[in-house]
Amino acid sequence: MMNKYSVSKSAVKNATARLRLTKTQAQNVLPKYAQGSSFVWSLGSTSGSQAVYDNYNERVRLVIAENGTVLDVFPIDYALQSPHNLSEEVRQSLKDSTKKTLFARRDEIHRKWCEAELAFHKNSYEIAKVRFELIDASVEEAAMLNSRLANLCTDNKRLHEDRSAFRKERTELERALVPYI
């Protein structure tokens, strides 16, 4: 069973820059690279909807969406492509320290995202409780509860924006890690 792969515009653009392919070559060859690739790592921030694959024969690393769209491509040794006057030892050290820094930053953002997620759900629970209390509330109580509900909903919007921003940053950090894994 052969999977059908499509290619995003950004993957074509990156293939022309990183693999020195023409636009047409990239559009034709990237699905073939995807076909011959092996799973490496799932991008956790995308709930498994995006993953990293390596094609060892072609020496390329791909980011592929669950729907079969090739989203990004790198030479397999992309993280080591730096000025040639650096020794292999120095390049490996740079690669390791960059990887370590990216993982630490990703973990820090993941922690912040978890905190924002908890605050959002706690606030959502409070909203549900107030709405439930409104069912049997007197006119005076309803006015007070509606005021509280308005404040909670404003907070919920802010909390939702916070958690979305953290998730987006985490996804970007995971993508930045792709060449280093």
Side-chain angles (χ1 to χ4, degrees):
M1 172 76 188
M2 300 266 285
N3 287 342
K4 181 93 170 108
Y5 292 99
S6 59
V7 181
S8 71
K9 286 181 182 171
S10 67
V12 170
K13 186 177 168 193
N14 291 338
T16 59
R18 294 176 186 153
L19 306 177
R20 292 180 175 72
L21 298 172
T22 66
K23 191 176 174 184
T24 305
Q25 285 173 325
Q27 288 166 334
N28 292 331
V29 85
L30 289 178
K32 291 178 183 131
Y33 288 175
Q35 197 67 56
S37 65
S38 303
F39 175 83
V40 177
W41 185 50
S42 183
L43 296 180
S45 60
T46 63
S47 301
S49 66
Q50 295 175 15
V52 178
Y53 292 80
D54 280 354
N55 183 317
Y56 300 104
N57 293 338
E58 301 296 338
R59 312 264 318 130
V60 292
R61 172 163 285 160
L62 306 147
V63 177
I64 304 175
E66 204 170 37
N67 67 4
T69 303
V70 177
L71 302 172
D72 207 349
V73 62
F74 302 88
I76 229 160
D77 60 350
Y78 189 71
L80 291 172
Q81 290 182 359
S82 55
H84 296 295
N85 58 349
L86 295 177
S87 71
E88 183 57 37
E89 189 179 326
V90 170
R91 288 197 309 196
Q92 192 59 44
S93 173
L94 279 171
K95 180 184 175 187
D96 292 345
S97 64
T98 303
K99 180 180 174 181
K100 193 173 162 185
T101 303
L102 285 170
F103 269 115
R105 181 78 181 126
R106 185 212 50 190
D107 292 347
E108 175 190 337
I109 293 302
H110 180 67
R111 220 176 337 280
K112 288 180 179 179
W113 173 79
C114 287
E115 290 167 1
E117 190 76 2
L118 280 171
F120 173 79
H121 288 292
K122 185 177 176 186
N123 196 65
S124 296
Y125 176 71
E126 286 300 314
I127 288 171
K129 279 178 28 182
V130 169
R131 286 188 173 144
F132 186 70
E133 289 174 31
L134 271 168
I135 294 169
D136 297 322
S138 67
V139 175
E140 302 84 36
E141 291 171 326
M144 186 186 69
L145 289 170
N146 278 322
S147 171
R148 179 157 159 63
L149 188 61
N151 290 337
L152 286 168
C153 288
T154 301
D155 289 347
N156 226 38
K157 184 176 192 271
R158 180 187 49 79
L159 290 167
H160 175 67
E161 289 167 355
D162 289 352
R163 74 185 188 148
S164 295
F166 285 132
R167 181 181 174 133
K168 182 178 184 224
E169 188 174 352
R170 193 176 108 206
T171 300
E172 288 168 3
L173 285 163
E174 283 192 344
R175 283 248 175 113
L177 272 164
V178 169
Y180 297 93
I181 53 175

